[in-house]
Amino acid sequence: MKGSIVLFGPPGAGKGTQANRIVSLTSKPQVSTGDMLRQAVSSGSELGVAARAFMEAGELVPDDVIIGLINQRLKEEDASSGVLFDGFPRTIAQAEELSKIAQLSVVISIEVPDESIVERIVGRRMDPETGNIYHIKFNPAPESIAHRLIQRKDDNESTVRTRLSAYHEQTSPLASWYESQGLLIKINGNRSIKKVGDDIISELSDK
Ligand code: AMP
């Protein structure tokens, strides 16, 4: 596959979880704007300082900040044969900018109903050493690493509701935008991690 792939879906749909398998299949690097922003916040850079309040409130970071980050990232050598976008684009403005600087092969939309999202996100934990994502009930971490797991600051119930509203108002319109371009593939994300991953891999293998 020549172009880039977009992993699309609401917060907690499993985009980050599925990204590893897609990276192994395609050798395209994962480009997660959420991870890039969290790194900027923890390094205390100017960009991180500007983004932090939006993230903690569950609101989207302004488009110009995100577009600047992506522009820089796509100039790196490993991005030359396309990347796996995770959590980007999230607005029509971001998608329009993206269409000027990268060619997309496919947009994978992982669909999960709102009722499942809160439970998924509130129980989500991350291993800071590997970046692997677990869930206290659906995908528990091995006991040997349980002590070092962390919970994202924005993974609490009230912030999730704001993130879901941002998704419905600003991000979900992108699905029909990409559908009209013939790029959208819908995957039922309300199943086991393995089943969802198997479907994604078989769709990508056909491309
Ligand atoms: P994520 O890790 O993808 O859930 O992103 C965490 C937070 O980072 C979001 O709630 C937003 O505040 C911000 N963020 C990540 N990606 C974007 C984006 N493409 N556009 C705007 N804000 C973003």
Side-chain angles (χ1 to χ4, degrees):
M1 197 182 301
K2 261 179 46 210
S4 289
I5 302 168
V6 171
L7 262 179
F8 183 81
K15 301 186 292 292
T17 299
Q18 297 296 345
N20 290 344
R21 265 182 92 178
I22 304 173
V23 168
S24 310
L25 177 80
T26 63
S27 305
K28 295 181 194 290
Q30 178 184 5
V31 173
S32 157
T33 42
D35 286 348
M36 291 161 87
L37 290 167
R38 278 184 288 280
Q39 256 166 30
V41 169
S42 61
S43 76
S45 68
E46 206 177 313
L47 190 143
V49 172
R52 184 177 183 159
F54 293 101
M55 296 171 76
E56 287 183 1
E59 290 164 11
L60 294 188
V61 171
D63 286 334
D64 55 341
V65 174
I66 301 291
I67 290 163
L69 267 180
I70 290 288
N71 256 315
Q72 250 187 346
R73 179 66 184 85
L74 293 188
K75 287 189 185 128
E76 286 171 38
E77 204 179 315
D78 68 341
S80 61
S81 328
V83 304
L84 173 64
F85 291 110
D86 161 7
F88 172 87
R90 265 181 156 94
T91 63
I92 295 276
Q94 291 178 19
E96 279 172 346
E97 282 300 313
L98 178 61
S99 69
K100 296 179 196 158
I101 54 173
Q103 192 219 325
L104 295 185
S105 293
V106 65
V107 175
I108 305 270
S109 171
I110 308 182
E111 316 216 316
V112 175
D114 281 9
E115 311 86 81
S116 307
I117 297 289
V118 177
E119 190 185 14
R120 280 181 173 222
I121 289 197
V122 172
R124 177 160 73 177
R125 300 290 184 273
M126 202 196 44
D127 177 1
E129 280 185 28
T130 61
N132 288 342
I133 301 160
Y134 298 95
H135 189 281
I136 50 173
K137 186 165 142 195
F138 305 128
N139 181 27
E143 216 166 293
S144 57
I145 63 160
H147 64 280
R148 66 178 192 222
L149 299 187
I150 54 166
Q151 183 172 27
R152 269 170 55 174
K153 213 169 178 177
D154 58 348
D155 276 357
N156 61 76
E157 185 161 350
S158 84
T159 310
V160 173
R161 303 229 179 258
T162 312
R163 288 160 68 194
L164 266 176
S165 311
Y167 174 76
H168 287 299
E169 283 160 29
Q170 295 166 272
T171 307
S172 67
L174 277 175
S176 44
W177 201 73
Y178 281 128
E179 193 160 32
S180 69
Q181 296 172 32
L183 288 171
L184 197 77
I185 292 179
K186 295 181 186 171
I187 301 282
N188 172 5
N190 213 15
R191 297 172 299 156
S192 70
I193 293 172
K194 176 161 189 320
K195 282 201 176 126
V196 174
D198 288 348
D199 267 16
I200 294 175
I201 296 299
S202 88
E203 290 285 356
L204 290 177
S205 309
D206 290 348
K207 292 266 148 199

